Amino acid sequence: MINKIKGTYDILPEDSAKWQDLEDVIRNVSKLFNFKEIRTPIFEYSELFHRGVGETTDIVKKETYDFEDRGGRSVTLRPEGTASVVRSIIENKLYADATQPLKLYYQGPMFRYERPQKGRYRQFHQFGAEAIGSNSPLIDAEIINYAATFLQALRIKNIKIKINSLGDAESKELYKEKLREYLRPNIHQLCGDCNRRYEENPLRVLDCKVDKDNPVLIEAPKPLDFLTEESKYHFDQVIAALDAIGLDYEIDKSLVRGLDYYTHTVFEIDADLESLGAQSTLVGGGRYNKLVESLDGPDTPAVGFAFGLERLLLALESVDKPQNAPFIHCFMIALGDDVQADALTMVNDLRHGGLICDYDFFNKNLKGKFKQAERLNAFFILIYGEEEAKEKMINVKDTRSGIQERVPLRNLYNYIVNNLNPSHGSCSGNCSSCDEC
Ligand code: ATP
Ligand code: MG
């Protein structure tokens, strides 16, 4: 037997509805904020991620799936979405579009070679959004609001929005110097990775998961105290916009994000839910004004976020919602070879009328056929044999009331629709707009 690759998983039929529901909410909320979907390939030249994510990041150092293709090119399975989106807008010159900023969202699988555990996989899924072309602090707030609104639409509670600013390039340089100075005498107290990060990009030391409670890091200087006037103004405006929207947030002076490209605003939303376990960060994001230029595009400011969908599904386990058992409307049992063709046509006509139908494909005895209808949670069982065919009638059993009636074939569709949900009027039982659904 060949098994799945470590850190991957199958989405089995019993779980796929949850994914589809989540994807519906992604689409609906994105529409409300007027963000349009972009789909990029799942692999790209490795150089894109080396430059776009950053040579010194954990992702590029330790987590990418790189391989040489048969033409000898180095390619990488995408570990995140932003670099590909930016590559695409440069390549397709979308930055020249009249409607600015560009408001794009994406969703799909990402690949990182990490230690698999609950909420952390090697193939996982992200929903991300990018607003490209505006440096307005209002759009930083809009992006945070978009992420928070998405969580509200999912009814995920106990969330905490954490926000911070790294400032512009000048503020970051100044801060990096101060941080290096501070860390120099203490760095031996931190983990091996931190020692490497200290040399390459000291900001990333603050993002360490091993040493996050170490006093050396807790007491380290904070980026917010080294902002230039302009950066401070930008941050104050973001805060003012969040206040105006009425979002609850917390300024977390220690928050830095793992990727190299962030400038100004960075944010995360955590959820304090038992079902999430240790991986409580649902979304991370911020402003990345230097990325488009560093990938050879024009100097273009941008801001975005990325959610992990697996963690959202774990968070949704803590949300109380009515459990709708899967059902089908009709299950057809055709008795005898001569009536099969007729029965298949009937089933097809019902489907064209919007009813979910299945068919008995097994040569079981009658008891077995009824058992199958029960397993599928069929509201109606249709029984059609030679005698019924002669009379142009069909037996219809409503499994919920137990009532069985003989119905003329030409009335079958109307009979089912009228009896589907007596208390729903004429809805077919999953309209989500009548009082009962
Ligand atoms: P973490 O600190 O948890 O490793 P990260 O900083 O690497 O997260 P990002 O690169 O910002 O995360 O990705 C955004 C979101 O994608 C995360 O907040 C998380 O929800 C999700 N995510 C990241 N890596 C994984 C993974 N290996 N498996 C599942 N979800 C992931
Ligand atoms: Mg990570």
Side-chain angles (χ1 to χ4, degrees):
M1 185 177 73
I2 301 170
N3 295 319
K4 62 185 182 303
I5 290 178
K6 186 175 168 192
T8 69
Y9 59 89
D10 302 306
I11 298 171
L12 299 173
E14 70 217 42
D15 289 326
S16 53
K18 284 189 225 157
W19 283 85
Q20 288 166 352
D21 289 348
L22 185 56
E23 287 158 8
D24 283 347
V25 180
I26 291 173
R27 273 194 279 273
N28 292 340
V29 175
S30 298
K31 246 185 224 156
L32 293 180
F33 282 78
N34 196 26
F35 277 64
K36 306 228 158 58
E37 190 182 11
I38 182 164
R39 299 187 189 193
T40 61
I42 61 160
F43 62 162
E44 302 266 4
Y45 290 123
S46 304
E47 191 193 349
L48 175 69
F49 301 115
H50 283 243
R51 279 168 57 189
V53 178
E55 301 275 4
T56 62
T57 56
D58 282 3
I59 294 182
V60 167
K61 278 235 161 329
K62 307 191 288 201
E63 299 174 2
T64 49
Y65 278 89
D66 302 307
F67 58 96
E68 215 174 75
D69 73 6
R70 287 168 195 268
R73 301 170 200 93
S74 174
V75 295
T76 295
L77 297 183
R78 63 180 184 193
E80 54 101 57
T82 303
S84 303
V85 170
V86 170
R87 196 260 317 130
S88 175
I89 65 134
I90 296 172
E91 197 166 344
N92 295 294
K93 298 202 171 50
L94 297 189
Y95 53 76
D97 262 23
T99 47
Q100 296 286 342
L102 286 170
K103 299 204 287 181
L104 307 171
Y105 78 93
Y106 59 83
Q107 60 157 317
M110 306 292 160
F111 305 84
R112 294 186 194 175
Y113 194 81
E114 299 204 66
R115 196 167 64 78
Q117 54 198 284
K118 188 175 179 186
R120 197 176 286 287
Y121 310 91
R122 291 185 173 173
Q123 174 172 340
F124 64 101
H125 296 76
Q126 283 187 340
F127 151 46
E130 321 286 358
I132 300 171
S134 167
N135 196 34
S136 166
L138 292 182
I139 192 122
D140 301 35
E142 178 88 335
I143 278 282
I144 296 171
N145 188 24
Y146 178 8
T149 305
F150 173 61
L151 291 174
Q152 281 160 11
L154 292 171
R155 293 191 287 169
I156 294 176
K157 299 233 165 57
N158 296 355
I159 63 165
K160 199 197 292 170
I161 303 175
K162 299 189 297 187
I163 162 165
N164 194 19
S165 174
L166 307 176
D168 54 13
E170 191 186 334
S171 323
K172 268 176 93 174
E173 273 318 304
L174 187 65
Y175 173 64
K176 255 189 213 171
E177 257 334 288
K178 288 286 171 213
L179 185 62
R180 256 210 196 97
E181 251 169 52
Y182 165 83
L183 288 174
R184 198 166 294 135
N186 304 311
I187 193 67
H188 59 276
Q189 295 180 43
L190 303 179
C191 74
D193 275 342
C194 280
N195 276 266
R196 176 176 57 74
R197 293 178 187 130
Y198 164 76
E199 294 295 339
E200 294 170 342
N201 181 356
L203 224 78
R204 308 267 339 287
V205 172
L206 299 185
D207 204 20
C208 178
K209 295 203 173 68
V210 180
D211 280 319
K212 66 178 180 347
D213 299 323
N214 191 317
V216 172
L217 292 192
I218 291 170
E219 284 152 28
K222 305 290 184 282
L224 218 47
D225 300 323
F226 296 88
L227 298 189
T228 59
E229 276 306 306
E230 211 185 319
S231 298
K232 189 169 174 334
Y233 181 73
H234 185 102
F235 190 56
D236 290 345
Q237 295 289 302
V238 177
I239 295 295
L242 293 178
D243 287 340
I245 297 166
L247 278 182
D248 276 335
Y249 59 86
E250 183 178 287
I251 295 177
D252 178 348
K253 288 182 154 199
S254 303
L255 181 69
V256 295
R257 303 271 314 131
L259 310 185
D260 272 356
Y261 50 56
Y262 287 107
T263 51
H264 289 288
T265 315
V266 286
F267 76 98
E268 274 183 8
I269 306 182
D270 291 358
D272 182 15
L273 296 169
E274 218 169 283
S275 58
L276 267 174
Q279 316 303 328
S280 61
T281 307
L282 299 176
V283 59
R287 185 164 271 289
Y288 50 93
N289 284 351
K290 290 290 147 204
L291 181 63
V292 182
E293 202 180 6
S294 77
L295 291 173
D296 306 326
D299 184 5
T300 309
V303 54
F305 65 64
F307 276 95
L309 298 194
E310 286 75 5
R311 290 189 201 171
L312 286 170
L313 287 174
L314 287 172
L316 283 170
E317 287 174 15
S318 305
V319 174
D320 291 329
K321 48 179 173 320
Q323 289 298 319
N324 291 328
F327 66 89
I328 63 170
H329 293 125
C330 306
F331 184 72
M332 171 67 84
I333 298 175
L335 302 167
D337 290 345
D338 294 344
V339 300
Q340 299 291 341
D342 257 9
L344 278 172
T345 312
M346 257 184 270
V347 162
N348 236 19
D349 288 346
L350 295 173
R351 286 175 181 149
H352 284 291
L355 298 171
I356 308 166
C357 300
D358 212 337
Y359 196 86
D360 163 43
F361 294 106
F362 288 102
N363 209 6
K364 289 185 189 140
N365 59 23
L366 201 57
K367 199 169 155 211
K369 291 175 193 294
F370 273 88
K371 195 91 208 136
Q372 175 72 351
E374 195 182 311
R375 274 195 215 103
L376 291 170
N377 192 19
F379 290 176
F380 295 94
I381 303 175
L382 316 180
I383 307 130
Y384 188 63
E386 279 162 25
E387 195 184 312
E388 286 81 8
K390 257 187 236 143
E391 293 170 18
K392 296 203 176 355
M393 301 287 276
I394 185 162
N395 284 311
V396 182
K397 178 168 183 181
D398 184 334
T399 58
R400 296 155 307 167
S401 63
I403 295 171
Q404 179 163 328
E405 287 189 271
R406 226 159 208 245
V407 178
L409 286 184
R410 61 187 153 76
N411 287 353
L412 177 62
Y413 179 76
N414 284 348
Y415 178 87
I416 304 262
V417 170
N418 290 337
N419 289 285
L420 254 186
N421 295 288
S423 53
H424 293 219
S426 61
C427 112
S428 56
N430 57 352
C431 73
S432 70
S433 56
C434 81
D435 287 348
E436 296 291 325
C437 286

